Amino acid sequence: MLKNEWGVSMYPLLPGHEIVGLVTEVGSNVEKFKVGDSVGVGYLVGSCQSCDSCSNNAENYCPEMILTGGAKYYDGSTTYGGYSDIMVADEHFVVRIPDNLPLDGAAPLLCAGVTTYSPLRYFGLDKPGMHVGVVGVGGLGHVAVKFAKAMGVKVTVISTSPNKKKEAIENLGADSFLVSRDNGQMQAATGTMDGIIDTVSAAHPLLPLLGLLKTNGKLVLVGVPAKPLELPVFPLISGRKIVAGSTVGGLKETQEMIDFAGKHNITANVEVIPIDYVNTAMERLIKADVRYRFVIDIANTLKSSS
């Protein structure tokens, strides 16, 4: 969004769509929340509330979805994201954060968490004993591993970097690890996975991943490469395999995800930073120098200009 790589950014842009904090004030018609509640706002702050998607609790697929930062709100004003000390939101687009979750570790679940939780649920890759691959160990991938393991699924992390094996297995709890550039390893795992959650946003070949799937297997893309990927058709039709996409989740599912995280003590691995470090953090982000999400401590570091 900062660099307008998706072509939708409006400037000046105030980013941030994994936002948590405490309710300080509520309108007279608010029913779900009271002052002092721990709450969060994720990727969207508005939708039409009348289309098929909205009617089915999938506001994230509404054609008129309003992004939390850098979009036009109902009244024509621009939405500003979470890099701010205060935010006003419609209660429908606010979720309750379980009391046992730390706010810093819970924040990234509002986007990265639901982006991986949703396809595991929707595509039925949440049954104990299933085998699911997770491509990429980053902000999305590391929470995908945690959610899948909590669902009772066997998890294999697939990465180009052999040096991430220890982290994936010992720290994140994955069952096994594949180096995607190692043809021998990939060959040995042919036809072993019920599904794959692909979190990679860089250009990468899909053919080796399709080979890992069983018949009727599902490859779900949640990363957003800037350029189109090549899709080989023969491996799809010869195994009745599916390539699908998924993005964040509706509000009902986002609440379900954060409640599940509370029950299983799932948080993102975060590095908490002050607001004046944000430009340095962006530079480190480009180099993938973070494990795995920066979280800005707004309350203690953003000084009011008034």
Side-chain angles (χ1 to χ4, degrees):
M1 288 294 284
L2 282 176
K3 297 178 173 183
N4 197 26
E5 288 180 352
W6 293 341
V8 298
S9 302
M10 294 191 296
Y11 300 98
L13 177 77
L14 193 72
H17 60 245
E18 298 174 329
I19 311 160
V20 292
L22 301 177
V23 176
T24 54
E25 197 176 340
V26 294
S28 57
N29 293 330
V30 169
E31 295 175 353
K32 285 167 57 180
F33 304 103
K34 64 184 188 306
V35 172
D37 285 350
S38 297
V39 297
V41 174
Y43 188 71
L44 61 156
V45 290
S47 69
C48 79
Q49 299 286 290
S50 59
C51 68
D52 273 358
S53 292
C54 287
S55 303
N56 289 300
N57 299 305
E59 300 93 340
N60 51 314
Y61 297 116
C62 172
E64 295 174 35
M65 174 184 73
I66 301 171
L67 297 179
T68 301
K72 281 273 174 265
Y73 201 58
Y74 303 114
D75 61 3
S77 62
T78 301
T79 60
Y80 293 115
Y83 295 15
S84 165
D85 59 352
I86 193 164
M87 176 178 201
V88 181
D90 180 328
E91 69 173 334
H92 181 79
F93 296 90
V94 178
V95 295
R96 183 179 303 281
I97 307 295
D99 291 336
N100 64 311
L101 290 182
L103 292 183
D104 53 3
L109 300 180
L110 296 171
C111 181
V114 74
T115 292
T116 51
Y117 177 93
S118 180
L120 287 167
R121 288 287 195 219
Y122 180 81
F123 292 101
L125 301 174
D126 56 353
K127 312 289 183 292
M130 278 188 158
H131 184 191
V132 171
V134 174
V135 188
V137 194
L140 292 171
H142 90 286
V143 287
V145 173
K146 293 184 182 190
F147 277 123
K149 283 301 295 176
M151 292 168 182
V153 170
K154 179 187 173 189
V155 179
T156 295
V157 167
I158 304 155
S159 173
T160 55
S161 317
N163 58 3
K164 289 195 175 167
K165 180 174 183 178
K166 187 172 183 228
E167 166 77 2
I169 291 175
E170 292 181 14
N171 294 347
L172 300 178
D175 297 283
S176 53
F177 187 90
L178 285 178
V179 180
S180 55
R181 292 187 173 128
D182 185 323
N183 291 336
Q185 285 187 25
M186 295 292 279
Q187 204 71 42
T190 297
T192 60
M193 297 180 191
D194 297 285
I196 295 173
I197 306 292
D198 185 347
T199 71
V200 174
S201 288
H204 61 291
L206 298 181
L207 183 61
L209 300 176
L210 292 170
L212 298 173
L213 292 172
K214 297 176 182 175
T215 301
N216 303 320
K218 299 157 187 170
L219 170 60
V220 188
L221 309 178
V222 295
V224 190
K227 297 202 169 86
L229 301 176
E230 195 172 294
L231 180 62
V233 173
F234 194 71
L236 293 183
I237 61 175
S238 58
R240 199 162 58 184
K241 297 173 184 179
I242 292 171
V243 177
S246 183
T247 188
V248 289
L251 273 299
K252 183 181 178 196
E253 187 170 50
T254 303
Q255 186 67 63
E256 179 190 299
M257 173 277 306
I258 205 88
D259 290 342
F260 181 88
K263 184 179 173 188
H264 295 275
N265 275 310
I266 294 170
T267 54
N269 295 16
V270 301
E271 180 178 333
V272 178
I273 61 168
I275 189 72
D276 58 10
Y277 187 77
V278 74
N279 288 330
T280 308
M282 291 294 177
E283 289 163 20
R284 285 180 53 193
L285 206 53
I286 291 164
K287 299 182 213 155
D289 176 22
V290 58
R291 294 220 173 143
Y292 285 95
R293 271 288 205 264
F294 287 117
V295 172
I296 307 166
D297 182 358
I298 296 284
N300 291 310
T301 66
L302 181 64
K303 304 294 176 260
S304 175
S305 55
S306 57

